[in-house]
Amino acid sequence: MTQANDGGHRYGATALTATAIFAFMLALNHWMPLHRDDYDYLMVWKTGVPIASLSDVLSSAMQHYLLHGGRMVTVFCLDLFLWLGKPLFDAANALMFLALSVLVMMHARRSAALTRTPGLLALAALLLWLSLPHFGEVAVWKSGSTVYLWSAVPAFLFLLPYNLTLKALGDRQRARHAWAILPMFLLGILAGWSIENLAVTVTLLALGCTLYARRHGAFAPWMLTGAVGALAGLIGLVAAPGNYVRYDAQGADKGILIHLGNQIAGQGEMLLYLLPVLLLIYTAYRLCQRRLSGLPVERDGSLILYARKKHVAAFDKGGITAASAVLWSLLLLLTVSYFTGGWVAAAIRDTVIAGVLTPLGQTRPKTIFLFTNVMNGFEEMAIYWLVILLCYHRMKALLGLTKASIRDAAQQVSWCEVLRASPAARYAACLIGLGLCNNLVMIAAPTFPGRATFSSTAMCVAALLALLNDPSVRSEFSPRAGRLLRTAAFLLLAYTGAAALLLTHEMGIEDAARIAQIEAARARGETVVHFPRIENTRRALRHVYYEDWDNGVTKDGAMEYFGLTDIEVPPHRPQ
């Protein structure tokens, strides 16, 4: 009876968690207006003709394949749902994010069970929300989400049976599943025909898992057909004539140093967004190392002795240290600046332009614009990092992870010993390595923006969840440290979630007024419209993505779609 009640509780908690994730994302999508590339995709590619039928959707996807790039599957989904209407697109996009959260949880647990760990599902969604670079651009904006979010979901779904098979192999189980031969082939095509770096990773993983299973007597036909499907999809992706057209436009005269620089910038940006994930992974590693060393642990005011006690190390009781004082001072300074015009970010911006970019001759308008765009979000991101670092500093004190205890444990237990002793640590290390290799695939690309690390970030999130799902790792976190983490997670979600909803709602109202103005002008026979500039550019840690209509993409696409000859927006007023 108790087990039945516990199962029902977990089922209800899972349903409630999934509903909350879906509802939040639905609200965010509902208020997110169409802009930028969305207008181009509302029309049959490069024809100026609005999509009005399923045949137009197919024709547009083919035109895009021939003229712009190989991502035909994602373009088809984008064109299809833009034609079906924004409300349906909003719901589908919210469902996709929920699906990704579920799949990341399943990969972390290496189990397809859905209702056993509702807390892990909530944590997966929260970490994806905090860690995915440029969240508004890759998971809410229609043209961006279909490229990144909608590519990751079929890819992670496709890889799940391979992951479960390798797990079953370790448990000495065998499963053939002959019925999965055709579905895995078709799903492999979708996974391979996604986005370039993820498609290569998926194909190589499927082939590698197939060969490994065959070597260990666990081969199943669906593994081979899935790998063949992924390879077919990858060929369809990279062989598109439009890829060569696009590369000629973007990749000309870019040597190996530019490609390496792109890798450093893209990987670096991913690591900055992954700060809370990486700190928790590092903490889990140090806790495992200390447990294996057998050193005594003092946490939450209690002394816990492990069986293999060797000697007693000195423990810090916590309190205000020089490091925490500096962090608190910076946090106060940046918070005051953020709410009084952003004068700290402006000072840093002007200093770098005058002292670094100008002497180097990097003063082209586009360079200055891109750097200014980065600095516009500097303070809110810095405040976010400082809050995380302060929480981390406090958590270390609660767990007794002092410099002395870390040093003593590291002297007795190497990282290799941690990996040998902990299957969860080995699996997490494989996921992190896989994410980094997934990014390295992009070294051949002419550009590598932070948003392209989407799938690698999701792999790193799965790595942390795999560690926290392990009882031996989870038990190392004290009750007070657990409460601190839950409180910090709630506050970060409340702050970023509320800000994203409010700002997106504001952008939606502003954009709706512009669409109404366009429709009124066209009804009067006018082809020129004048819009006031949107001055509020806060983006809630990039969870809000919207650019004013003076940018060439939105302006040109909207002019063609609405039949305008010009859209005028006043120039930006410097602060």
Side-chain angles (χ1 to χ4, degrees):
M1 191 64 162
T2 302
Q3 290 181 348
N5 291 337
D6 185 52
H9 173 73
R10 288 199 302 265
Y11 180 83
T14 302
L16 183 61
T17 301
T19 301
I21 295 170
F22 177 79
F24 175 79
M25 289 300 298
L26 181 61
L28 203 59
N29 277 272
H30 172 70
W31 287 326
M32 174 70 176
L34 301 178
H35 82 300
R36 285 186 63 87
D37 302 65
D38 294 340
Y39 286 107
D40 289 328
Y41 288 102
L42 280 167
M43 301 172 284
V44 178
W45 188 253
K46 297 301 181 183
T47 66
V49 178
I51 293 176
S53 65
L54 182 58
S55 63
D56 287 344
V57 171
L58 294 170
S59 177
S60 182
M62 181 56 70
Q63 285 281 97
H64 187 279
Y65 187 76
L66 296 173
L67 300 175
H68 191 68
R71 302 169 187 172
M72 190 174 184
V73 172
T74 59
V75 169
F76 172 81
C77 293
L78 175 59
D79 288 344
L80 176 65
F81 278 90
L82 285 174
W83 168 56
L84 293 175
K86 188 174 180 298
L88 189 57
F89 204 150
D90 294 337
N93 217 30
L95 188 62
M96 281 291 183
F97 180 76
L98 174 59
L100 180 63
S101 302
V102 170
L103 288 168
V104 166
M105 176 194 71
M106 288 180 173
H107 276 285
R109 296 183 66 247
R110 307 191 78 180
S111 167
L114 177 61
T115 61
R116 292 182 182 175
T117 51
L120 207 64
L121 173 59
L123 186 57
L126 172 64
L127 291 174
L128 289 172
W129 166 259
L130 293 176
S131 303
L132 289 174
H134 302 240
F135 188 92
E137 189 174 353
V138 300
V140 185
W141 176 48
K142 309 311 177 191
S143 294
S145 61
T146 47
V147 171
Y148 297 102
L149 176 60
W150 291 42
S151 290
V153 169
F156 277 56
L157 178 61
F158 171 71
L159 290 175
L160 185 61
Y162 291 95
N163 197 349
L164 299 181
T165 297
L166 294 185
K167 177 65 166 57
L169 181 62
D171 296 338
R172 301 185 181 279
Q173 299 177 13
R174 300 289 186 271
R176 297 291 179 177
H177 300 308
W179 58 267
I181 293 175
L182 180 59
M184 284 298 291
F185 175 74
L186 298 177
L187 188 56
I189 292 177
L190 292 179
W193 209 328
S194 53
I195 188 170
E196 291 76 12
N197 59 329
L198 183 58
V200 173
T201 300
V202 163
T203 303
L204 293 178
L205 270 176
L207 290 170
C209 290
T210 301
L211 293 175
Y212 183 85
R214 181 178 181 181
R215 182 178 178 181
H216 289 80
F219 172 77
W222 62 262
M223 301 181 75
L224 179 59
T225 59
V228 171
L231 180 60
L234 176 61
I235 293 173
L237 175 69
V238 301
N243 284 331
Y244 304 99
V245 176
R246 189 177 184 183
Y247 189 85
D248 288 341
Q250 296 182 356
D253 302 324
K254 290 187 176 180
I256 185 62
L257 292 180
I258 297 295
H259 289 265
L260 290 175
N262 289 341
Q263 276 289 312
I264 294 172
Q267 300 257 27
E269 186 171 3
M270 180 189 76
L271 295 178
L272 290 176
Y273 274 95
L274 278 171
L275 182 61
V277 172
L278 296 177
L279 289 177
L280 283 172
I281 289 175
Y282 176 75
T283 301
Y285 163 70
R286 289 302 187 188
L287 290 173
C288 290
Q289 194 175 48
R290 188 177 64 185
R291 172 170 54 84
L292 293 172
S293 72
L295 289 172
V297 181
E298 183 178 340
R299 65 188 191 194
D300 297 352
S302 301
L303 184 66
I304 302 173
L305 299 180
Y306 285 119
R308 292 172 51 207
K309 175 179 176 180
K310 297 184 177 178
H311 64 277
V312 178
F315 291 96
D316 185 3
K317 299 297 183 180
I320 300 298
T321 64
S324 62
V326 170
L327 292 176
W328 277 111
S329 300
L330 287 174
L331 178 61
L332 178 62
L333 175 67
L334 289 170
T335 302
V336 171
S337 173
Y338 182 66
F339 288 104
T340 56
W343 40 272
V344 170
I348 297 174
R349 178 197 64 206
D350 295 341
T351 300
V352 172
I353 291 175
V356 179
L357 296 181
T358 300
L360 292 175
Q362 301 296 319
T363 56
R364 293 183 302 168
K366 184 176 181 180
T367 301
I368 300 300
F369 168 78
L370 292 175
F371 178 68
T372 301
N373 186 52
V374 171
M375 292 306 298
N376 284 340
F378 168 77
E379 286 179 338
E380 59 184 12
M381 184 62 80
I383 291 171
Y384 170 67
W385 290 331
L386 288 171
V387 170
I388 290 173
L389 290 174
L390 284 166
C391 289
Y392 172 68
H393 179 79
R394 178 58 181 158
M395 180 180 65
K396 284 177 58 181
L398 292 174
L399 294 173
L401 284 174
T402 63
K403 291 182 180 180
S405 66
I406 291 174
R407 182 181 63 251
D408 290 342
Q411 288 174 349
Q412 299 184 44
V413 179
S414 68
W415 63 269
C416 292
E417 292 176 290
V418 173
L419 294 180
R420 281 196 296 267
S422 173
R426 291 197 300 272
Y427 179 55
C430 288
L431 288 175
I432 294 172
L434 185 62
L436 294 176
C437 292
N438 184 55
N439 283 341
L440 286 175
V441 175
M442 292 295 291
I443 198 168
T447 60
F448 183 43
R451 62 180 179 270
T453 66
F454 184 104
S455 51
S456 295
T457 300
M459 294 173 192
C460 292
V461 170
L464 172 60
L465 295 177
L467 289 172
L468 297 180
N469 184 61
D470 186 281
S472 65
V473 175
R474 196 167 58 247
S475 64
E476 293 296 313
F477 286 86
S478 68
R480 289 180 64 191
R483 287 195 295 271
L484 172 67
L485 290 176
R486 287 190 292 271
T487 302
F490 173 78
L491 292 176
L492 286 174
L493 175 61
Y495 165 65
T496 57
L501 288 172
L502 289 172
L503 290 173
T504 303
H505 182 251
E506 179 182 327
M507 295 299 103
I509 292 175
E510 295 271 6
D511 193 87
R514 294 183 170 193
I515 300 300
Q517 185 177 337
I518 289 174
E519 293 174 346
R522 296 299 293 127
R524 296 191 299 268
E526 300 173 2
T527 60
V528 179
V529 292
H530 306 267
F531 293 146
R533 171 165 288 281
I534 297 176
E535 296 295 342
N536 186 1
T537 58
R538 292 180 179 176
R539 291 161 290 183
L541 301 177
R542 308 277 181 167
H543 289 94
V544 178
Y545 179 64
Y546 186 85
E547 295 186 17
D548 217 334
W549 285 45
D550 57 342
N551 74 81
V553 181
T554 302
K555 180 177 180 179
D556 294 344
M559 284 169 52
E560 188 172 22
Y561 182 75
F562 291 110
L564 301 171
T565 57
D566 197 13
I567 296 175
E568 297 183 358
V569 179
H572 177 70
R573 294 180 299 180
Q575 297 180 351

